[in-house]
Each structure stands twice: as C-alpha cells, then as structure tokens.
Amino acid sequence: MAIDHAHLARLDLNLLVALDALLTECSVTRAAARVGLGQSAMSHNLARLRRLFGDELLTRAPEGMRPTPRAMALAEPVRATLVRIQALMSREDRFDPRTAERTFRIGLPDSAEVLLASALLAHLTATAPGIHLRLHNIDSTRLLDDLDADRLDLAIGLGEFAAGQAHHKRRRLMTEPHLCMFDAARTGVTPPISLEDYVRLPHVLTSLREGERGVVDDALAGLGLRRTVVLTTPRFLAVPYLVARAPVVVTMLGRLARFFAAELGLSLSPPPVALQDVAVSLLWHASYDQDPAHAWLRQEILRIAQEVAAG
C-alpha cells in the first residue's frame, strides 16, 4: 500500500501512544500516569481519538472502563506499530550483551524457576552483567492477557497454550514426564508403585489452577477409579517437604522429582496410569519478535533448556 504522506502529516502520532496506554489500562487516570500526563490532558486525548476513529473506544462499565470491539481490533496493530517506531528510534540493533543494560520481566512457575533460572542467572552474570531479571509468579489463566498488557516481557508456562492467538508467539523448550514421589518408609510402599497402592494412598496435588482435579484424576476416571486428594497447592517447591513428612504420594514433573528425591531421600516410581508428558513453553508477544535484546534472551533460554533436557 502506498503511503499517503499528506494524510499522515495531519495525524499526531502522540495520540497512538495515548491510545495504547488507554487500551492497556482501561482507565484515564492510570493511562495518564503511565504516559506522564495530567488526567485532563488524557481525557482530551481520548476525546480526540474518539473523533479520529468515529468510535467511543472506551465505555463505562461497573468494573471501570471497557474497550469497544473497534478498540479491541485496534489494540494489537497500534502496539506493534509503536514497538517498531521505538526500535527505529533506538540503537538496539547494535545490541551487545557484554555492555547492554536492560531489565526483563519473566513470569514462570517455581518449578521452571528451579529447572532453568539458576543456570540462566549464572550465564547472565558471567556474560551479560547489565541484563537483570525480575521473576513473577503466574496465573496460567491470565498469562496471555499479561503478555498483551505488557506486564511481562516473557513467560515460561506449562502446557501448549492452544488458546493463544497469532500474536502470541510460542516455542517449546522441553517436555517433562511425570513421576510419583513418596517416602517408602512412611507409606510402606517400595517402587514401582502398584495401581492398588496408588489409589489407596492419600495424594498431594500441585496445580496452578483452582480446584482439586488434575490429569491424574482424568486418567483414573477412565479406569473407573478415583483418588483422595488431601492437600492442593500451587507451589511445586513446597511439595517435596510435605511428602517427606507424611504417608502421601505426589505425581509431579520428572526432573524436579529427581532433584528433590536425591536431596530428601525419597522414592520415585513411574505412575501406574498413562499420563501425557507436559510441554514447557516459552511465550512472548509478537511485538518483541524483532527486538534484538529480546531475541537474544529467548535464544539463551532455549539453549539452557536444551542443556537441561539433554542432562
């Protein structure tokens, strides 16, 4: 498409900055603070944007302000445009990890933090001392929304995230098998655990979602069986210590189970039911695809994940 320079010359590109902030925050007050404007100035910008696009863009709702369908359609192309403009105006094409200074916000479960973050931190301190990480807990149900709202630069999640859209970029880092972990002395069970003992023993469930049902329950239901879950927690790292002190069993990611079983003297066994391996995925917003620093960090995480998977 040919560029209509005369038409674009009449457009204040600062309005796109205001629009991105408004659609990210869904609040005039918060958008004003995000951009560094007064509330009245942001209200004026919203009025101009409404005239420009011939749409209300944001309407009042009980929970605050809600984007219209037109605004939702604009959000992604506006964000992508601003990121490209920012890249053009910066010198990031000459990114050098040895001298660069940047902070990345990464959302991930604590299991991925144990498996990957320690090796990543060691690598960064040695080769990219100006690259800093801010790690955040994640809610898998809101993970894609957090990427859309630019609350996270990257995320490491468990699963395939099939609900993602075209601008949700995804790269599989590794797959994790399941293992059962328990204290042989407290449970009176020696590996491999039988299906009878597996159903008889109380279970600890690790889940990032609410509820007391997981993939194990679905597999058992297919056999006409059910288990008793006595404790549910989203914190993978707490589970081994719970298992070490009680006659219970947990079914968890295999590499993490091996790590803690060696530390705490716990027993491991393949599950007595068929369970699909879990994908560990790296996710990011397409707006950062061409960002050299972002691309470099993604490649380093992928390399470390491949080393962990091979080891």
Side-chain angles (χ1 to χ4, degrees), residues 3-10:
I3 296 176
D4 186 344
H5 293 88
H7 177 72
L8 285 178
R10 295 194 294 270

Side-chain angles (χ1 to χ4, degrees), residues 256-268:
L256 201 62
R258 290 191 184 93
F259 176 83
F260 281 107
E263 291 286 320
L264 301 175
L266 298 171
S267 295
L268 298 174

Side-chain angles (χ1 to χ4, degrees), residues 57-75:
L57 298 177
L58 290 170
T59 58
R60 296 199 176 277
E63 67 275 13
M65 300 192 81
R66 179 183 299 159
T68 65
R70 172 71 166 145
M72 293 174 67
L74 288 168

Side-chain angles (χ1 to χ4, degrees), residues 141-196:
T141 63
R142 296 205 312 265
L143 183 54
L144 298 179
D145 291 337
D146 287 338
L147 291 172
D148 287 346
D150 203 30
R151 289 187 285 266
L152 295 173
D153 299 301
L154 278 166
I156 298 174
L158 304 180
E160 297 288 357
F161 293 89
Q165 301 178 49
H167 62 271
H168 296 130
K169 299 299 182 179
R170 181 177 70 247
R171 181 73 180 269
R172 181 179 290 194
L173 296 176
M174 64 177 77
T175 56
E176 278 287 290
H178 291 87
L179 281 176
C180 300
M181 186 168 64
F182 51 90
D183 185 298
R186 293 183 187 276
T187 59
V189 172
T190 56
I193 190 170
S194 67
L195 181 58
E196 179 183 2

